[in-house]
Amino acid sequence: MNNFFFNSKRINFLFLAIVSCLLIFFLFQTKELKQKIEANIFKVSTVDVLSIVSNTAKSLVKDLSKSDDFVKDIQSNTLLRKKIEEKLEVLITKNIQYAYILYKDNEGIFRFLADGSKTENKAFLNQKFDVDSRVWLDVYVEKKEILINHEILKTLSLTYIIPLLHNNEVELLMVIDFSLKKVENINSIIYFMQNGIIGILVVFLFLLVIVVLQMLKYNKVKKTAYIDHLTNVYNKNYLLKNQNNINLKHYSLSVLDIDHFKNVNDTYGHSVGDIILKKTAQIVSRTLRISNDDIVIRYGGEEFIIFIKKSKDYPDISLEVLNRILENIANHSFLISELKSINITVSIGINLNPANSNNLFEAFELADQALYTAKNSGRNNIQIYQEKQNVTC
Amino acid sequence: MKGFIILFISIFFTYSNGYTFLVDKYDKEIELESKIILNIAEVSLHEKVKLFIPHITISERDVYSKIFTLTKTCDKSNFVYVKTENNEDDLCMDKNKLYFTNNYKKLLSNDKYFGAFFWSKSRPNIVFIKSRLNREHLSLPQNYQQFIEDL
């Protein structure tokens, strides 16, 4: 089947492709949106905490302002260490799991100098601390705070490292570990939003599937309405529906009629007549198949209308195709029973320039006149309509 | 109906992770710990490791038995990993064994332990004590040198 249904299939496919692309785009956008929201929520929810921690760090540096060697003084002065640990202890909340101060020894190993944790989790003075990333060393180079996002550690989400400077050199690291609870709270908000968006997309997809199914159903019904059940070519309804859609400038219009079809029906019965009609339509369609833009319509009874697409490179294409149809039908043996076959012929009238007429039906009338001439010229021939006279092909 | 069943099963499997509490939860932390202990035991011993863990839990047994030969008593082992807070000082006085712990305090207080693997600020930490390694005539590979402490 060509033209109308072919185009509607193409439109459906295009529609589905565009919608699928849009859905994929929205899905990726959701992911990106999630990341943006996550970053913003993190920023908003940690900014105050980080400011407080930074202020504590400044306060600690102030406490150590008279010290020439932070590490030695804290190691040797128990009271100073206790004071620092009290300040660190204040920072520990539901969301901040650990607050501690580290130093790097001569061998480059990190060790605890003060710990705000309670007795159970409290690290010993000078206890070795294995860091989990090289980023910790970068603080000594950058001399700036750094925020580490943990993905592997089971109970920690973020680590905030603040360098404590002495003579513009990093002497100590103040470290804050955020518990997972902080991230879990933020993530629960994000997941809620993300699930909402995905839910809307799923509902949209569901509705879309229903629309597509309805479209397919509608097309199927429409196709049934426009296809002749016996011959499987278009019927008169199709012609009526698309009379304004067929651009007559691009086609020649031919009318084909089976010769002596009434005799066939009268002699062999209507079932044989149906076989002849079916086979004739098949031969016409198969002959036209070289060009997908051609249209065959069973106009009524044993009469078919054929629209053959014109070719600029090959002006005689319509006549050549019609000649092939004429020959193929004439040479075909129509099997009407297991043992018997008959031969039939067709007559064809063609209007090479239907666009010269006011409308399709006027153009059809002219082709029909040529057909009438063909019938009167002994049948099994093609007549071309030309103004005031017909030309035999 | 078939579509509904497939949809139901898909949703069920998608969210099945949330129902693992119904069965024994597989502990990733124990798995990581077991692999680290295996590495330590293998570099410390030059024979097949026969591990004994006092008061071992069922989930620990499940994980450790996959990569270790576990012994039921201390006597039959050659590597003892003490994880409990209980006083295990009298445990298995045989000197031909290596003792390891998951408690830094225990490591400092009892010199029979040559090292410890423990969680410090939720991060895995390993410490070996140099004098005790020497006492046991243990020499660790280069990549373990960073964990050796001269206490």
Side-chain angles (χ1 to χ4, degrees), chain B residues 36-129:
Chain B
I36 291 169
I37 297 300
L38 179 70
N39 281 333
I40 292 168
E42 280 180 344
V43 296
S44 310
L45 287 168
H46 297 291
E47 54 184 329
K48 194 186 174 197
V49 180
K50 283 178 271 180
L51 179 71
F52 175 66
I53 302 175
H55 311 291
I56 189 168
T57 63
I58 294 166
S59 53
E60 282 170 348
R61 189 185 299 280
D62 288 345
V63 176
Y64 273 86
S65 61
K66 284 179 187 162
I67 53 174
F68 277 105
T69 303
L70 292 174
T71 63
K72 285 183 180 175
T73 59
C74 183
D75 300 336
K76 290 175 183 171
S77 67
N78 56 10
F79 194 95
V80 181
Y81 179 40
V82 178
K83 295 187 71 179
T84 56
E85 291 288 332
N86 302 343
N87 190 357
E88 305 289 345
D89 294 349
D90 298 332
L91 176 84
C92 202
M93 294 304 287
D94 189 349
K95 292 206 170 181
N96 295 323
K97 297 181 197 310
L98 292 178
Y99 293 89
F100 203 77
T101 181
N102 73 339
N103 190 312
Y104 186 65
K105 213 182 282 181
K106 209 183 265 279
L107 175 74
L108 296 179
S109 61
N110 191 332
D111 72 348
K112 86 173 172 185
Y113 299 106
F114 77 100
F117 164 74
F118 56 98
W119 294 88
S120 176
K121 308 296 172 211
S122 300
R123 295 169 178 86
N125 272 250
I126 302 170
V127 174
F128 297 101
I129 295 177

Side-chain angles (χ1 to χ4, degrees), chain A residues 284-301:
Chain A
V284 173
S285 298
R286 217 175 284 161
T287 312
L288 289 174
R289 198 165 286 177
I290 45 166
S291 163
N292 281 328
D293 292 317
D294 299 341
I295 309 167
V296 189
I297 298 163
R298 186 182 172 203
Y299 190 65

Side-chain angles (χ1 to χ4, degrees), chain A residues 60 74 78-92 99-101 112-117 122-125:
Chain A
L60 290 177
I74 297 171
T78 316
L79 279 175
L80 178 63
R81 194 165 66 245
K82 202 176 170 191
K83 191 180 171 189
I84 291 170
E85 285 183 340
E86 277 170 2
K87 284 191 177 177
L88 293 173
E89 200 179 326
V90 172
L91 295 174
I92 294 173
Y100 47 95
I101 290 179
F112 286 96
L113 199 58
D115 188 357
S117 302
K122 200 175 186 76
F124 293 93
L125 176 66

